[in-house]
Amino acid sequence: MPELLTLQDLERSGVIPSDGIIRSLYENIWESLDITLLDCLTIRDLVQISGCGRISEEDLGLLHLLLIGITSSLKEGSLCMNCSLPAMVHRMEQYNLPNASETAVRIRDKLHERHFSPLIADDPEAFLPLIYVRDKNGERLYFQLYYRHEALLREDLNRLLNKPRRRTQLSPEDAGKLLGDVLEKNPLRDPAGSPLLPDDHQKMALLLGLTSDFCIISGGPGTGKTSLVVNLLRCIARREGTVALEGIRLAAPTGRAARRLVESVLAGLRSLERRDTIDQTLLAMLDETEVPGATLHRLLGYSPGRNSFLYGPLNPLPAGVLIIDEVSMVDVIMMSRLLSAVGPNSRVILLGDRNQLPSVEAGAVLADMMPRDDRPLYSPSLIKLAGAVIPRLELEEGDPAYPFTDRVVLLARSYRSTVQILETADSINALRNIPEDRLDTSVTQIIQKLTPLDLKEFSVSVGDGTRRIGCFFAEMYPEEGKEYRDGVRRFLDVWAEEMMNVHPTEGKGGRSYWELVREVRSRSFSADQEGGWNDLLKDIFLYLQNSRILTVLKRGAGGAEGVNAYLAERIRMRDAMFREDSDLFPGEPVMITRNDYRNNLFNGDLGVILKDDSSTYRAFFPSGEGYAGFAVDRLPRYERAFAMTVHKSQGSEYGHVLILLPAEEQHPLMKRELLYTALTRARKQAVICGRRGTLFQGLMNRTERESGLGWFQGIS
């Protein structure tokens, strides 16, 4: 609850009376609530408008508890409230009610008796604010909006999963030749020119994409999802002709992720040592301005003025192949709108990582569509095909009635991070399969395996300036007379000094970040028009992409805003050059927070503020193979970006990552998924800074979002 909000505020706003059962109820559970004044006003309006205000005061108290429960469920990201008796008891216990079990039984009985029928309907077609679903799979309470979108999504999934397959049968001989031509004779190459040879799971994903109109490819960071997309498009073009690829659409929840997908695909095609006619055609199709990556809103033609979408069930999206990246970030409403717009002739490929943080809005759609035990199931025919082409890969046969048979591939091998980072991330994911009575032991073992860094001797480098490699834990223990803020600042001082003064190439010499900024200061921006100092900008961005501070919180001493403010203050003390302007200083990293399609800048894009010899400020951002400069007053909304929240970092990667935990041991944002996401942003080094108790509790807690989609699959 916000600190300024009190029970007296609720009384004055008419949410609760000044005395009686309702007043006593709120007083008893007040400290346990995590709802806002707006939530409380919504509860009041629901009660008053529905006419439930005429029921007995005791029953009215139960209704308030029920509405508080579903409001809290939505704030937790669930689509609905689980109304099974154990779940109801657990929620009442969270409110520290002395008679939690009895209260839960009474609320559930009232639901069964339709006691709140003016407000809650058990008929989905009834036009009431809340829908109570009671079937063989459980009991769930929805707000009408989320029930409708979940139902629509279920219908569209059924339509896409059950439509007649258009894809021609792929023989083992044809499959072997196709994969050999694309993957072995002319493979994609990494920046160093070495061939990118796919593993068996990636080959399986290619077979799935070739034989299915709808498939999900899930894998952690660095598992090769993007290169797989390139190879899949090449395979489709050779198998079905480039005409099958007309209307390629590449999209993602954010503009930055969408652009990165397109740039990665184009880079993959350009990496080929030789491009035949098909590859050239494919590159030309993707390089056209009509086929850029788009946000889902832009893909579907969203009109803010009309609050409507151009494409939908009555006007399907014209797409031969639809590829959506970062699907874990897509909420249930947007996924419902997206799949409803998929036409009968479209091939849909969803990419994502089920273990990352789910969407900000309600739902965990990708996780709901994935097998709970991470065991994808396949038909005998596809197993036979795979056995002929990928003989070492073991596959499990599934029930023909299971809707996601032949639809899911899990990529297992990561090519991004160090062994210790990957092993830690895998151990975190494995916690979901650990019995509750052994969970604390497993969590303790994960923490013990982290390499310790002593606060008193904190350093992220060895003596010669070379960065330590691996996964570390720097425990922030209270020192006499010291607070959490002081510990955070000590970490920040060391991190900033080492990361900004040793060149990312390590051991090869090179100027510090601040020396590079000073060199820019001595030049004119006019040289940029001739590409005269692209190498200088390249080195500056090497620093920015080499290290990042990630925070759980946005505000406070250990939040992104507090960290950015402190580092900006410290930097201004270094040199008079950084104190010339009250708002900006040269070398300040910034992050765009609002999409600007005109300038091709997107929410999450990272840039840097620089000043030339005429004291002109400009902001530079990576653009294609070079950099684009903008007058600062032309930028869309932006913020400082020495640090960013873990949520903002999704889809990005850095060489070295400092993860700042909150001060509280029991913080609601501390979840396994958040820690996994933060760790896997790092390629070489991840340093977790905080208190051991905070890390322990974060690993003990997982994100649990209720929905009906898992039950729909029949795999709950």
Side-chain angles (χ1 to χ4, degrees):
M1 245 342 176
E3 293 182 1
L4 298 179
L5 183 60
T6 66
L7 287 171
Q8 288 71 33
D9 294 328
L10 297 190
E11 291 174 5
R12 286 192 294 269
S13 60
V15 173
I16 60 174
S18 58
D19 56 19
I21 293 177
I22 304 298
R23 176 62 168 78
S24 300
L25 169 67
Y26 275 84
E27 187 173 1
N28 291 334
I29 67 175
W30 185 253
E31 296 298 327
S32 308
L33 292 184
D34 185 27
I35 56 178
T36 65
L37 177 59
L38 181 60
D39 297 326
C40 293
L41 291 170
T42 301
I43 292 171
R44 179 202 66 183
D45 293 344
L46 286 171
V47 172
Q48 291 181 350
I49 294 172
S50 67
C52 283
R54 293 189 293 270
I55 63 179
S56 72
E57 191 174 10
E58 183 177 347
D59 289 347
L60 194 58
L62 297 177
L63 178 58
H64 272 261
L65 282 172
L66 185 62
L67 294 175
I68 289 170
I70 188 172
T71 300
S72 297
S73 296
L74 291 178
K75 292 175 74 69
E76 294 161 2
S78 294
L79 295 177
C80 56
M81 177 182 176
N82 187 341
C83 294
S84 67
L85 188 56
M88 291 284 282
V89 171
H90 177 68
R91 189 165 290 280
M92 295 302 110
E93 288 175 344
Q94 290 180 317
Y95 301 149
N96 296 319
L97 291 172
N99 54 344
S101 296
E102 180 185 343
T103 302
V105 170
R106 291 166 61 198
I107 292 175
R108 194 161 169 266
D109 287 345
K110 296 295 181 182
L111 282 172
H112 291 180
E113 298 165 2
R114 303 180 182 179
H115 196 67
F116 307 126
S117 58
L119 179 62
I120 304 172
D122 56 8
D123 179 5
E125 299 302 318
F127 194 70
L128 290 180
L130 285 89
I131 302 294
Y132 177 53
V133 177
R134 188 182 178 192
D135 54 32
K136 64 179 182 179
N137 296 310
E139 302 174 48
R140 309 177 300 280
L141 182 65
Y142 294 83
F143 276 108
Q144 180 81 235
L145 171 69
Y146 294 104
Y147 177 85
R148 293 291 180 187
H149 279 287
E150 185 184 278
L152 290 171
L153 178 56
R154 188 185 301 113
E155 291 174 7
D156 284 313
L157 278 172
N158 267 317
R159 172 176 63 86
L160 294 172
L161 295 173
N162 295 314
K163 73 177 183 178
R165 301 202 174 197
R166 299 183 302 107
R167 309 302 166 201
T168 58
Q169 188 67 35
L170 187 63
S171 69
E173 295 76 18
D174 289 341
K177 183 180 185 306
L178 188 58
L179 295 187
D181 290 344
V182 169
L183 304 180
E184 298 172 9
K185 293 183 179 181
N186 191 21
L188 304 180
R189 297 183 178 272
D190 64 18
S194 301
L196 295 172
L197 302 177
D199 59 33
D200 289 347
H201 288 90
Q202 290 176 323
K203 292 178 181 177
M204 185 63 201
L206 291 176
L207 291 182
L208 205 64
L210 284 166
T211 57
S212 174
D213 281 333
F214 183 95
C215 65
I216 302 170
I217 301 170
S218 179
T223 51
K225 294 188 293 291
T226 304
S227 61
L228 194 152
V229 167
V230 181
N231 284 325
L232 179 56
L233 292 174
R234 296 175 68 203
C235 287
I236 293 173
R238 283 160 173 79
R239 174 69 179 169
E240 303 176 23
T242 53
V243 66
L245 297 174
E246 289 183 0
I248 298 174
R249 296 291 182 268
L250 306 178
T254 67
R256 179 171 62 108
R259 184 178 62 188
R260 187 175 60 249
L261 175 62
V262 173
E263 291 175 348
S264 298
V265 171
L266 290 172
L269 288 169
R270 291 166 181 155
S271 75
L272 296 170
E273 284 192 338
R274 59 187 184 279
R275 291 190 291 273
D276 58 19
T277 302
I278 294 177
D279 291 328
Q280 289 283 16
T281 302
L282 185 58
L283 180 61
M285 293 172 68
L286 288 166
D287 210 11
E288 295 175 357
T289 55
E290 298 84 16
V291 193
T295 64
L296 297 182
H297 281 80
R298 201 177 194 198
L299 174 76
L300 298 177
Y302 177 67
S303 172
R306 297 191 300 269
N307 191 28
S308 63
F309 293 82
L310 174 63
Y311 299 109
L314 301 180
N315 183 30
L317 183 69
V321 177
L322 178 61
I323 300 173
I324 309 297
D325 198 10
E326 301 290 353
V327 177
S328 65
M329 301 169 63
V330 183
D331 62 85
V332 70
I333 294 179
M334 180 50 65
M335 184 62 78
S336 169
R337 296 194 183 282
L338 173 67
L339 296 190
S340 71
V342 174
N345 298 320
S346 295
R347 187 192 313 248
V348 180
I349 301 163
L350 305 181
L351 310 173
D353 182 1
R354 65 165 293 180
N355 297 308
Q356 286 195 41
L357 285 165
S359 60
V360 175
E361 302 297 332
V365 181
L366 179 62
D368 282 336
M369 292 191 294
M370 300 293 292
R372 297 292 188 267
D373 53 4
D374 288 341
R375 292 161 53 199
L377 305 176
Y378 301 98
S379 64
S381 60
L382 190 57
I383 292 175
K384 182 179 180 180
L385 174 63
V389 182
I390 323 168
R392 297 172 298 177
L393 188 62
E394 295 184 1
L395 303 175
E396 185 172 349
E397 185 174 338
D399 185 343
Y402 173 60
F404 284 89
T405 295
D406 292 351
R407 305 291 187 177
V408 177
V409 169
L410 299 182
L411 304 180
R413 182 182 176 185
S414 177
Y415 300 84
R416 173 184 294 180
S417 304
T418 62
V419 171
Q420 192 184 12
I421 293 174
L422 293 175
E423 288 179 347
T424 304
D426 290 341
S427 298
I428 292 173
N429 290 334
L431 290 173
R432 66 172 173 262
N433 300 319
I434 302 296
E436 198 71 28
D437 59 345
R438 292 192 292 153
L439 188 58
D440 57 347
T441 302
S442 299
V443 167
T444 300
Q445 290 173 347
I446 291 175
I447 297 175
Q448 290 174 340
K449 288 181 180 179
L450 299 175
T451 305
L453 290 179
D454 195 321
L455 172 63
K456 295 180 179 179
E457 302 175 354
F458 177 65
S459 175
V460 292
S461 302
V462 295
D464 62 356
T466 304
R467 313 284 188 264
R468 290 188 173 99
I469 301 301
C471 197
F472 302 85
F473 178 54
E475 184 171 7
M476 190 184 300
Y477 49 86
E479 300 181 51
E480 188 176 351
K482 299 291 185 180
E483 298 179 352
Y484 171 80
R485 182 187 64 181
D486 300 308
V488 167
R489 291 182 172 181
R490 182 165 184 173
F491 284 119
L492 295 179
D493 288 342
V494 173
W495 184 268
E497 189 69 22
E498 295 189 4
M499 290 301 171
M500 303 307 254
N501 284 289
V502 179
H503 195 271
T505 54
E506 296 176 19
K508 298 181 181 180
R511 292 162 292 181
S512 75
Y513 182 78
W514 306 114
E515 289 172 333
L516 293 169
V517 171
R518 289 189 184 94
E519 184 166 343
V520 172
R521 181 69 174 84
S522 68
R523 300 189 181 191
S524 170
F525 286 144
S526 60
D528 181 48
Q529 302 300 319
E530 305 169 5
W533 43 283
N534 263 13
D535 288 343
L536 195 60
L537 285 172
K538 182 179 179 181
D539 263 5
I540 288 175
F541 277 94
L542 272 178
Y543 274 101
L544 296 180
Q545 292 298 329
N546 185 55
S547 66
R548 186 65 36 197
I549 301 169
L550 303 182
T551 68
V552 176
L553 308 178
K554 185 174 180 62
R555 298 179 177 83
E561 291 180 357
V563 170
N564 285 324
Y566 174 72
L567 289 176
E569 179 185 351
R570 295 286 293 178
I571 291 167
R572 288 182 184 280
M573 297 171 61
R574 298 176 61 95
D575 193 299
M577 178 180 69
F578 304 124
R579 298 193 295 271
E580 294 177 359
D581 192 282
S582 58
D583 297 321
L584 302 170
F585 61 85
E588 181 174 16
V590 294
M591 184 173 61
I592 300 298
T593 60
R594 177 176 292 176
N595 293 337
D596 182 352
Y597 292 100
R598 183 184 60 182
N599 290 318
N600 204 30
L601 294 173
F602 298 98
N603 184 9
D605 280 352
L606 186 68
V608 60
I609 302 291
L610 296 172
K611 181 190 282 189
D612 70 357
D613 59 358
S614 65
S615 295
T616 299
Y617 280 106
R618 292 183 74 187
F620 289 86
F621 296 84
S623 177
E625 298 181 358
Y627 303 91
F630 302 88
V632 174
D633 58 5
R634 286 182 55 203
L635 292 179
R637 193 167 61 193
Y638 65 92
E639 60 188 29
R640 284 192 179 113
F642 292 103
M644 65 177 64
T645 63
V646 178
H647 284 80
K648 281 283 190 180
S649 74
Q650 288 192 95
S652 301
E653 60 177 275
Y654 307 97
H656 306 262
V657 169
L658 176 70
I659 305 164
L660 287 177
L661 305 183
E664 304 91 335
E665 286 196 0
Q666 296 279 358
H667 197 284
L669 292 180
M670 284 296 295
K671 305 283 187 180
R672 293 173 206 164
E673 293 80 3
L674 181 139
L675 290 166
Y676 167 85
T677 302
L679 281 175
T680 52
R681 300 310 93 198
R683 296 190 302 273
K684 299 179 180 179
Q685 179 193 72
V687 181
I688 303 173
C689 293
R691 292 170 177 154
R692 187 174 297 269
T694 307
L695 178 59
F696 181 88
Q697 292 298 330
L699 291 172
M700 290 288 290
N701 299 326
R702 64 171 298 185
T703 301
E704 296 185 12
R705 295 190 167 185
E706 299 288 347
S707 80
L709 293 175
W711 291 313
F712 151 70
Q713 297 180 60
I715 57 173
S716 57

